[in-house]
Amino acid sequence: MFEQLAAVNARPALYATTTTPELWTDPHISRKMLAAHLDPDVDLSSYRTAYLERAVDWMTDHFGIGEGRRVADFGCGPGLYTTRLARTGAEVTGLDLSPRSLDHARALAAAENLPVRHLRQDYLTYREAIRYDLIIMIMRDYCALAPGSRAALLRTVHEHLAPGGAFVFDVDSAAAFADVTEQASYAPSLMDGFWSDRPYFGFHNTYRYERERVSLDKYEIVEADRHRVFLNWVRHFTPDELTAELGAAGFTDVRVLGDLAGAPYDSRAPHFTVHACAADSVAAEPR
């Protein structure tokens, strides 16, 4: 028993593995994730409705989104952004791995007769001839990716941006890393049954990787007939680090903002937003 508990509490090697897709494809967990997305009063999986509306208004105005423009949402979830952006008359595409979330997104669009394309696609490997004027990635998905996966994502985005197009996404900040505390906890049915609809024992460990400024929440879920591990990695960035990473991937005209609604950057805030253009395109003048 001691050896088993020691293994449960062992610190994984940095980016030893990633388990993000399982959160969106497991039938039980994806249902819980969708419920969190659709709660308008929490920031767990999607932002609160009031902020979401401000973000869409800012992006629509700043990037001139409307008829004749093409927009893609990488990791679109249940269509909270794709539906609102499609109301402008733009051609909108959403990519996601979760069948449950995509079903909800398609139902939202159909209810308003909006011709949104919702594709079950991995945005790391997505390839299509279409080019977009704006690609968005919301809720700090970028920070959950290992370095190789971030490079793959940026290649995908670069290949799919039209001349003058922009990539807009938000990240966790270095300031937020200062608030991460290493800890360990245990509970039967940890997180009120979030991880399974059957009885289970849950172990949650939080780790800090100081040099790389990465945090990890590791969840070990033990049921009668299976033992699963979920790893939630979060890279915390400074604007300079992110600008350098984008520059190495062929992006230019990198602009740092405080949030998705165009607020000024604040180094003390837990998140910030970046938008950038592909280096071989001409940056459009913001409106």
Side-chain angles (χ1 to χ4, degrees), residues 44-73:
L44 182 60
S45 294
S46 290
Y47 292 117
R48 297 173 191 248
T49 299
Y51 174 62
L52 188 157
E53 297 281 4
R54 289 194 297 111
V56 171
D57 287 346
W58 180 82
M59 287 186 283
T60 299
D61 181 64
H62 191 79
F63 297 104
I65 302 304
E67 292 186 12
R69 306 283 273 175
R70 289 176 171 170
V71 181
D73 183 353

Side-chain angles (χ1 to χ4, degrees), residues 37 39-60 80-81 84-85 136-140 168-172 256-266 269-274:
H37 263 303
D39 189 329
D41 298 318
V42 299
D43 291 325
L44 182 60
S45 294
S46 290
Y47 292 117
R48 297 173 191 248
T49 299
Y51 174 62
L52 188 157
E53 297 281 4
R54 289 194 297 111
V56 171
D57 287 346
W58 180 82
M59 287 186 283
T60 299
L80 301 180
Y81 290 87
R84 286 168 170 82
L85 289 164
I136 65 174
M137 174 179 279
I138 307 300
M139 206 63 194
R140 305 175 327 266
V168 176
F169 61 106
D170 55 350
V171 296
D172 291 87
V256 178
L257 299 168
D259 64 18
L260 291 159
Y265 170 70
D266 182 350
H271 320 128
F272 64 92
T273 294
V274 168

Side-chain angles (χ1 to χ4, degrees), residues 15 124 142 145-155 235 237 245:
Y15 295 122
L124 300 183
Y142 191 82
L145 301 174
S149 294
R150 296 199 303 268
L153 167 72
L154 293 177
R155 285 194 296 272
R235 169 73 161 92
F237 287 95
E245 191 158 296

Side-chain angles (χ1 to χ4, degrees), residues 17-277:
T17 188
T18 57
T19 60
T20 303
E22 285 85 340
L23 296 176
W24 301 106
T25 55
D26 178 273
H28 175 80
I29 297 173
S30 66
R31 184 171 69 250
K32 293 287 189 178
M33 294 288 279
L34 178 59
H37 263 303
L38 300 178
D39 189 329
D41 298 318
V42 299
D43 291 325
L44 182 60
S45 294
S46 290
Y47 292 117
R48 297 173 191 248
T49 299
Y51 174 62
L52 188 157
E53 297 281 4
R54 289 194 297 111
V56 171
D57 287 346
W58 180 82
M59 287 186 283
T60 299
D61 181 64
H62 191 79
F63 297 104
I65 302 304
E67 292 186 12
R69 306 283 273 175
R70 289 176 171 170
V71 181
D73 183 353
F74 282 16
C76 67
L80 301 180
Y81 290 87
T82 53
T83 299
R84 286 168 170 82
L85 289 164
R87 290 172 186 159
T88 69
E91 297 178 36
V92 179
T93 298
L95 310 181
D96 207 275
L97 289 174
S98 170
R100 190 184 299 276
S101 291
L102 288 170
D103 285 346
H104 189 276
R106 289 171 182 138
L108 275 185
E112 298 186 36
N113 199 29
L114 296 170
V116 185
R117 293 195 313 153
H118 287 107
L119 309 178
R120 189 180 181 195
Q121 291 272 353
D122 183 343
Y123 50 58
L124 300 183
T125 56
Y126 167 67
R127 292 295 182 276
E128 201 174 13
I130 191 171
R131 296 293 178 266
Y132 300 101
D133 301 292
L134 176 66
I135 297 175
I136 65 174
M137 174 179 279
I138 307 300
M139 206 63 194
R140 305 175 327 266
D141 274 19
Y142 191 82
C143 299
L145 301 174
S149 294
R150 296 199 303 268
L153 167 72
L154 293 177
R155 285 194 296 272
T156 299
V157 172
H158 196 286
E159 290 179 19
H160 289 85
L161 278 180
F167 178 38
V168 176
F169 61 106
D170 55 350
V171 296
D172 291 87
S173 71
F177 186 68
D179 294 330
V180 174
T181 301
E182 293 202 340
Q183 58 86 36
S185 61
Y186 153 79
S189 297
L190 180 75
M191 298 171 59
D192 297 322
F194 177 87
W195 298 102
S196 179
D197 56 1
R198 301 184 296 171
Y200 66 88
F201 299 103
F203 301 83
H204 174 204
N205 290 79
T206 301
Y207 302 101
R208 292 170 58 95
Y209 298 77
E210 301 290 343
R211 184 170 63 86
E212 299 86 359
R213 207 181 302 109
V214 171
S215 64
L216 169 65
D217 283 295
K218 181 179 75 167
Y219 300 91
E220 297 223 15
I221 308 303
V222 181
E223 299 171 82
D225 59 350
R226 62 177 177 174
H227 178 179
R228 295 174 295 162
V229 179
F230 298 93
L231 304 178
N232 181 29
W233 303 97
V234 179
R235 169 73 161 92
H236 298 76
F237 287 95
T238 67
D240 287 346
E241 289 167 342
L242 204 50
T243 298
E245 191 158 296
L246 287 162
F251 288 82
T252 188
D253 193 30
V254 178
R255 304 181 189 187
V256 178
L257 299 168
D259 64 18
L260 291 159
Y265 170 70
D266 182 350
S267 63
R268 301 164 297 177
H271 320 128
F272 64 92
T273 294
V274 168
H275 66 84
C277 298

